[in-house]
Amino acid sequence: MLSMTNISKKFGDLEVLKDISINVDQGKVIVVIGPSGSGKTTLLRCLNVLEQPERGEVSIDDQTIDFSQKVTKPEIRELRKQTGMVFQNYNLFPHLTVIQNIMEGPVTVQKVDKAEAREVAIRLLEKVGLGDKADVYPYQLSGGQQQRVGIARAMAIDPKVMLFDEPTSALDPELIGEVLQVMKDLAQEGMTMVVVTHEMSFAKDVADEVVFMDGGYIVERGSPTEVFENPQQDRTKRFLNLLQH
Amino acid sequence: MAKMYLLNNIFLNAADLQTLQDSFLPLMRGVLYYTVPLTLISFFIGLLLAVITALFRISGVKLLSGIARVYVSIIRGTPLLVQLFIVFYGLGNLGIEFLKFDPFVGALIALSLNTGAYASEIIRASILSIDKGQWEAAESIGMSYLQSLKRVILPQATRVSIPPLSNSFIGLVKETSLASTILVAEMFRKAQEIVATTYQPLLIYMEVAAIYWVICFILSLIQDQIEARLNRYVK
């Protein structure tokens, strides 16, 4: 359903992704872990072409983009409509109220009728537990609440895949749980998800597959039990050990 | 003796008050018929030019950003007075009917071009001040460049640009006085005409200064209102 084949990406001379391939089946949750600078965020950003790789292919359902060819903007936009992105710093639109944030994609991009978009937005807000916050501005919310709005905004375009870029890294510890809970609910409902995170407990509980990246390579991948309980590679062991201290 | 003379000239006598009263209406006519329209229209056109120029500048297309740079450089590098003279006397002297402007139109052209160049730098800085994450969030929900600009970036850039744009606007009110040099009958030219018949330069020019100040004061009150409204979504 979602796949990334032989993706390579450079920033200047620095090769941050080296021939990466992953495959996510419908309804599966894949969690990408690894030290900072390992390329995991870049991998995620290549999936909706916020970064454009030099080589390789990304496909979602029946749409494939081959980056060794010239890629057009409409192609990229088409791909983005199938993916919902949740950012580390939420990136909510500060000049719009919560509900306007969520309605923006459906109304402006997908030309959905406003009343209809509003209904969907309200349903999504209730789902992330913020039914009473529709008409406030983002600055009036806590970080955890803002991130839940971020999730609702991404869900509003009815994506086939949800991408999470370290969604809890900017949060105070006591606010992390509420965001992870929303993500767990989504996973249980069968949402296909790619999650970059440092929350190992989330990876253990929710992931169908864990991918460990380092230095632009996928070092190890497998079920959470395989990767966490019985890692095969030294680098994975070192990384997991560091986390325990 | 000299002291007496000075005092007589500073304190207003009945004749002075009469002069003030007589000159007020002609001066206000200059304000309403010329100063205000000149300011509003050239600011509006200037702002359009400024947005286009700013977008050219940040487009990443060499030709477009080159055009924008040259325009801004020429306008910022030459005095407004010289620009007014070139547009009105210079072009008017070419013998081409189309380029013989009415004084008001000539002033409009020069003031719009001038405002456009300065304001384009304000707009450009305001756009660049918006966090890159806002572009990414807009793109991530499928927006095109123009949609992102219109729905996400420009509304936020507007808030940032209001204080410096207000500066430009208030500056423009006063710069319209330069149009007096190309025969536009705005307030300052009116004042010069009145002085020519009353021989009261201090009185009349002080009156003119006071009227400019009142206009600018009112404008700064309006600026406060706009800022308060646009600040509703920030802490």
Side-chain angles (χ1 to χ4, degrees):
Chain A
M1 125 125 232
L2 165 75
S3 71
M4 178 177 232
T5 318
N6 305 118
I7 288 285
S8 295
K9 168 72 189 169
K10 279 184 190 167
F11 290 126
D13 286 338
L14 183 70
E15 205 172 8
V16 283
L17 293 180
K18 298 164 184 165
D19 208 27
I20 298 282
S21 297
I22 57 169
N23 213 322
V24 191
D25 290 333
Q26 172 90 46
K28 298 292 184 198
V29 177
I30 175 162
V31 172
V32 185
I33 60 173
S36 62
S38 60
K40 54 193 192 308
T41 287
T42 308
L43 177 149
L44 195 76
R45 290 164 61 88
C46 284
L47 283 172
N48 68 350
V49 207
L50 282 180
E51 304 290 353
Q52 190 160 337
E54 274 82 45
R55 278 196 314 280
E57 284 182 8
V58 168
S59 28
I60 296 176
D61 264 3
D62 43 10
Q63 194 198 356
T64 299
I65 295 186
D66 179 354
F67 291 100
S68 51
Q69 314 284 320
K70 183 146 177 49
V71 182
T72 65
K73 283 178 183 168
E75 268 183 286
I76 294 175
R77 279 206 296 280
E78 205 45 50
L79 189 84
R80 283 183 183 148
K81 287 176 191 171
Q82 328 232 24
T83 61
M85 179 87 172
V86 177
F87 297 89
Q88 182 175 349
N89 296 314
Y90 336 129
N91 291 346
L92 295 182
F93 305 131
H95 60 302
L96 301 179
T97 61
V98 162
I99 193 145
Q100 287 169 336
N101 263 276
I102 302 173
M103 289 164 61
E104 192 60 37
V107 172
T108 301
V109 181
Q110 299 170 333
K111 311 293 177 201
V112 174
D113 172 64
K114 264 195 174 171
E116 198 181 316
R118 195 177 180 85
E119 265 176 51
V120 173
I122 288 171
R123 245 197 341 269
L124 284 167
L125 267 180
E126 277 163 4
K127 192 158 151 179
V128 299
L130 295 170
D132 55 335
K133 299 288 187 191
D135 296 316
V136 307
Y137 284 101
Y139 81 89
Q140 294 165 300
L141 299 176
S142 73
Q145 291 171 327
Q146 289 193 46
Q147 191 57 296
R148 286 187 278 155
V149 175
I151 295 173
R153 178 180 67 180
M155 290 288 295
I157 61 170
D158 196 21
K160 292 174 178 158
V161 187
M162 284 286 285
L163 310 174
F164 294 85
D165 182 14
E166 303 197 26
T168 57
S169 295
L171 293 175
D172 290 337
E174 77 272 19
L175 302 176
I176 290 175
E178 61 191 66
V179 172
L180 292 181
Q181 189 54 50
V182 169
M183 292 166 64
K184 278 180 196 169
D185 293 346
L186 275 183
Q188 260 154 26
E189 286 168 24
M191 192 63 187
T192 310
M193 295 163 55
V194 181
V195 184
V196 171
T197 187
H198 294 292
E199 292 297 322
M200 295 305 143
S201 63
F202 177 82
K204 281 174 194 159
D205 292 351
V206 183
D208 295 293
E209 186 182 8
V210 175
V211 170
F212 172 68
M213 285 186 73
D214 193 13
Y217 290 104
I218 291 181
V219 176
E220 189 156 358
R221 63 173 94 194
S223 70
T225 327
E226 285 165 353
V227 175
F228 289 118
E229 310 296 332
N230 190 19
Q232 301 300 305
Q233 303 291 327
D234 282 345
R235 269 192 289 179
T236 319
K237 286 177 197 163
R238 276 204 303 273
F239 177 72
L240 292 174
N241 262 326
L242 277 174
L243 287 183
Q244 273 151 20
H245 300 300
Chain B
M1 204 47 203
K3 205 173 172 189
M4 278 300 290
Y5 180 80
L6 192 66
L7 283 178
N8 272 336
N9 272 283
I10 285 179
F11 291 107
L12 301 174
N13 56 36
D16 292 339
L17 289 174
Q18 191 59 45
T19 308
L20 282 180
Q21 201 182 337
D22 292 346
S23 59
F24 186 70
L25 274 181
L27 288 177
M28 285 312 286
R29 227 170 279 139
V31 170
L32 290 180
Y33 293 165
Y34 294 98
T35 304
V36 169
L38 208 49
T39 307
L40 288 179
I41 301 173
S42 48
F43 191 71
F44 180 75
I45 299 174
L47 213 51
L48 284 181
L49 279 174
V51 173
I52 295 168
T53 307
L55 292 179
F56 274 24
R57 220 10 235 290
I58 61 173
S59 66
V61 181
K62 277 216 174 96
L63 177 68
L64 297 183
S65 65
I67 292 172
R69 271 170 194 277
V70 170
Y71 163 53
V72 172
S73 171
I74 289 173
I75 297 292
R76 285 205 307 194
T78 55
L80 174 58
L81 189 56
V82 175
Q83 293 161 13
L84 277 164
F85 273 45
I86 289 176
V87 170
F88 184 68
Y89 297 116
L91 296 182
N93 201 36
L94 276 178
I96 302 168
E97 208 48 43
F98 171 71
L99 292 176
K100 282 185 186 161
F101 300 116
D102 166 82
F104 185 78
V105 176
L108 262 189
I109 294 173
L111 288 170
S112 302
L113 285 173
N114 195 269
T115 304
Y118 281 96
S120 77
E121 288 293 279
I122 294 174
I123 307 262
R124 183 171 72 94
S126 309
I127 291 175
L128 294 179
S129 77
I130 305 303
D131 183 54
K132 177 169 132 288
Q134 291 292 307
W135 285 100
E136 292 185 347
E139 285 169 9
S140 79
I141 55 174
M143 284 192 188
S144 65
Y145 178 80
L146 281 179
Q147 284 172 331
S148 309
L149 201 61
K150 182 168 158 246
R151 300 287 308 171
V152 177
I153 304 300
L154 286 182
Q156 295 181 63
T158 302
R159 190 184 76 82
V160 182
S161 68
I162 289 299
L165 280 181
S166 302
N167 254 350
S168 297
F169 190 67
I170 288 172
L172 183 58
V173 172
K174 293 171 296 176
E175 279 166 354
T176 57
S177 62
L178 286 176
S180 62
T181 61
I182 61 166
L183 316 175
V184 177
E186 47 68 58
M187 173 164 61
F188 189 59
R189 182 158 188 91
K190 282 273 190 225
Q192 289 172 309
E193 288 167 9
I194 294 167
V195 169
T197 59
T198 60
Y199 308 108
Q200 290 265 43
L202 182 62
L203 191 65
I204 298 295
Y205 291 140
M206 287 297 275
E207 185 182 11
V208 165
I211 295 175
Y212 275 121
W213 178 80
V214 169
I215 296 174
C216 293
F217 181 72
I218 294 171
L219 288 175
S220 62
L221 292 181
I222 297 174
Q223 174 189 352
D224 292 345
Q225 295 289 316
I226 297 175
E227 281 185 31
R229 190 176 148 63
L230 289 176
N231 280 340
R232 72 191 181 283
Y233 62 78
V234 290
K235 222 176 287 188

